[in-house]
Amino acid sequence: MKTSAPGKLMLFGEHAVVYGYPCIVTAVSERLYVSEGVPTQDPKFIEAAVKAWGKPGMNFSASSSFSGKFGLGSSSAVTVAALKFLRPMATNREIFDTAYKIILDIQGKGSGFDVVAAAYGGTLYYIKDKTIEPLAISDMPLIVGYTGIKADTVSMIENVAKKKKENPQKVERIFEAIAKLVEEAKIKMIGGDWERVGILMDFNQEYLRDLGVSTQKLEDLISAAKKAGAWGAKLSGAGGGDCMICLAPNDKQQAIRKAIEEAGGEVIDVDTDAEGVRIEK
Ligand code: MEV
């Protein structure tokens, strides 16, 4: 038997989601596969999954169709896929709850948005400890550009926490503004108004810049995409590196991909709204 879980991309609301505000995340077509064997990847998460739901001596090997360097969420996907292997009949909710506990035990930080995407799949509106809402969307015209720099999520979360301590009112105001645009993005995504969703990405990026999590490289790729005709663009995830995303009309997609590469980025081909954890045939 083999199980698999998808990677994810944060579309809106990163950082704010850690403090109880909403975000929108999508599962991507790149998947992480788990089968019985010697652990080769993320052994800590596999061991913790076995400790939670397995028997001593059990072990899993993991392999992925994506590189861990992109920040697509390999630790959450491996944990979710291993739990599915151990209890194939468990509900997504049970898998999510147990996997999120494991991630928090090992990493100490995180909103669980990556775990929710790995377990449920699709595109989700998510509020920590409160809401998991699948969104019915179709054909998101998204392009993903990798900066070539692996971001350290935990230290980015810590940087924002420090900023919040120094200037709580300002940071709270930013989070509230992000939450407001997440609510609008949710409605416009369901309606397929990708042009407006792109503009909302631009707004979200401005707030992320104010939080201090963007970098020159991210800005270079974002402005290259915008100049080549994207409706809007932003970083995706913790910032400090990893990926940027943009939305663009079909007739501009080729030019944008080229512009991202010329600006030093790597375009990653992923489909969005992918299936959640599953048993492979
Ligand atoms: C990291 O990809 C997104 C953050 O919001 C952290 C999290 O939600 O766990 C920065």
Side-chain angles (χ1 to χ4, degrees), residues 230-271:
W231 284 314
K234 64 184 278 293
L235 67 85
S236 170
D242 284 349
C243 294
M244 53 73 70
I245 52 174
C246 68
L247 285 169
N250 276 342
D251 62 340
K252 297 277 167 45
Q253 295 251 340
Q254 270 318 319
I256 292 168
R257 293 167 69 94
K258 194 160 164 259
I260 290 174
E261 303 220 312
E262 278 170 5
E266 181 186 341
V267 174
I268 309 176
D269 283 306
V270 287
D271 291 331

Side-chain angles (χ1 to χ4, degrees), residues 23-138:
C23 76
I24 299 175
V25 58
T26 193
V28 296
S29 48
E30 298 296 315
R31 303 186 76 81
L32 205 141
Y33 299 86
V34 156
S35 51
E36 264 178 292
V38 181
T40 45
Q41 198 176 325
D42 299 300
K44 269 199 243 161
F45 296 93
I46 291 175
E47 276 162 28
V50 170
K51 201 164 158 212
W53 282 3
K55 295 192 185 71
M58 286 181 95
N59 243 327
F60 296 108
S61 73
S63 64
S64 48
S65 62
F66 59 90
S67 160
K69 71 182 185 187
F70 296 144
L72 293 177
S74 69
S75 21
S76 44
V78 81
T79 310
V80 163
L83 290 173
K84 179 77 176 175
F85 193 106
L86 291 160
R87 281 195 199 161
M89 300 310 283
T91 61
N92 286 342
R93 179 79 220 195
E94 288 162 343
I95 292 175
F96 167 73
D97 286 341
T98 303
Y100 186 29
K101 267 197 213 99
I102 290 173
I103 300 285
L104 281 182
D105 277 353
I106 296 175
Q107 272 174 199
K109 293 204 161 52
S111 65
F113 82 103
D114 44 357
V115 188
V116 92
Y120 288 77
T123 301
L124 301 149
Y125 170 92
Y126 173 68
I127 306 175
K128 183 162 63 107
D129 302 326
K130 197 167 163 203
T131 310
I132 299 171
E133 185 183 336
L135 303 182
I137 60 145
S138 55

Side-chain angles (χ1 to χ4, degrees), residues 8-10 13-19 23 71 100 103 107 109-114 126 128 153-154 156-157 160 208 213 236-239 242:
K8 51 75 192 151
L9 277 171
M10 180 69 100
E14 46 273 269
H15 287 291
V17 65
V18 176
Y19 296 88
C23 76
Y100 186 29
I103 300 285
Q107 272 174 199
K109 293 204 161 52
S111 65
F113 82 103
D114 44 357
Y126 173 68
K128 183 162 63 107
T153 302
V154 170
M156 296 312 290
I157 296 177
V160 172
L208 290 164
V213 298
S236 170
D242 284 349

Side-chain angles (χ1 to χ4, degrees), residues 145-166:
Y146 177 57
T147 56
I149 299 152
K150 171 100 188 84
D152 177 356
T153 302
V154 170
S155 72
M156 296 312 290
I157 296 177
E158 280 164 0
N159 289 351
V160 172
K162 189 162 161 259
K163 193 153 191 142
K164 190 164 179 293
K165 214 166 164 199
E166 284 161 10

